[in-house]
């Protein structure tokens, strides 16, 4: 089912296993961080996420709701999450709603909706 | 199906028929405008939306993706929309991801994820 692809992707992100996480993305995928801009292509996403993920000692993205339609060939998954990041003994968290379009078993579009100021304010507390 | 409740709710919002829109909400519903705060109860939502909706000559909330799980007794719907509002000849628009929890055929939780600054900047262009 399409949601399994997303769950596996998120699990890999939580393990900070970016190589495995990005193996769930199509080569020409679009990653749209809605209020902050888009990145196109699996390699560009990997390059962008590598220094980002390296900042954190732990990542946890608990999903409160996840719904899907379609199948592995052509599906849509949406989820509601709290993206949590730890540095030392400090956690920050960001409420997120994500959209994932699945094509042939991979994520061709990953689009996250969140409030930019909430994110920037949280990130600033870590530095 | 749960998505039918949400589609009917959104159609009523687009007609600015708040009485009908709010008839889709449970009496004790929660409306969570994530970066801007929560409103509890159908009457409070109606009171909040009435002056808001009155500002606009036209409302259009095209849904690009909508997925659901469960049934009318207990269901979850998520959608991706662009909430568009017209005043005179000017349209503003806001990308939104919405979560709707359905209980016994009504919406008990309506939670919208969006970027507050994008919303405030757009609204400011109308005044």
């Amino acid at each position: 089912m399409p949601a399994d692809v997303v769950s596996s992707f998120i699990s890999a992100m939580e393990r900070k296993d970016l190589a495995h996480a990005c193996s769930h993305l199509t080569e020409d995928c679009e990653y749209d961080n809605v209020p902050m801009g888009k990145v196109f292509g699996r390699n560009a996403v990997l390059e962008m996420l590598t220094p980002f993920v390296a900042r954190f000692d732990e990542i946890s993205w608990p999903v409160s709701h996840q719904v899907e339609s379609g199948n592995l060939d052509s599906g849509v998954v949406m989820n509601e999450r709290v993206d949590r990041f730890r540095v030392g003994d400090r956690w920050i968290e960001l409420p997120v709603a994500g959209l994932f379009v699945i094509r042939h078993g991979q994520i061709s579009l990953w689009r996250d909706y969140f409030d930019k100021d909430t994110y920037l304010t949280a990130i600033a507390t870590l530095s």
Side-chain angles (χ1 to χ4, degrees), chain A:
Chain A
M1 297 290 282
D4 297 332
V5 178
V6 174
S7 297
S8 177
F9 171 73
I10 288 177
S11 292
M13 288 295 297
E14 291 182 310
R15 294 192 308 272
K16 301 175 62 178
D17 183 351
L18 284 182
H20 188 62
C22 289
S23 76
H24 294 76
L25 307 177
T26 64
E27 193 173 341
D28 64 347
C29 72
E30 174 182 340
Y31 170 31
D32 183 2
N33 235 345
V34 172
M36 304 184 74
K38 302 178 181 184
V39 177
F40 293 93
R42 183 200 296 145
N43 290 341
V45 174
L46 179 59
E47 280 178 27
M48 179 201 175
L49 289 179
T50 298
F52 176 74
V53 164
R55 297 183 59 174
F56 305 110
D57 295 317
E58 192 175 351
I59 292 175
S60 174
W61 289 4
V63 172
S64 45
H65 293 95
Q66 186 158 276
V67 283
E68 63 181 340
S69 68
N71 53 47
L72 281 177
D73 271 347
S74 176
V76 172
V77 180
M78 292 189 73
N79 62 27
E80 178 189 46
R81 323 186 300 266
V82 180
D83 289 3
R84 305 178 74 238
F85 304 92
R86 181 174 67 80
V87 174
D89 60 357
R90 301 175 76 172
W91 282 97
I92 60 168
E93 54 183 51
L94 179 68
V96 176
L99 167 79
F100 302 83
V101 173
I102 307 296
R103 293 283 178 266
H104 309 303
Q106 291 184 305
I107 298 165
S108 61
L109 169 64
W110 169 23
R111 182 177 289 147
D112 276 349
Y113 288 80
F114 59 92
D115 179 55
K116 184 171 66 177
D117 188 57
T118 302
Y119 169 72
L120 295 176
T121 301
I123 278 284
T125 67
L126 296 178
S127 51

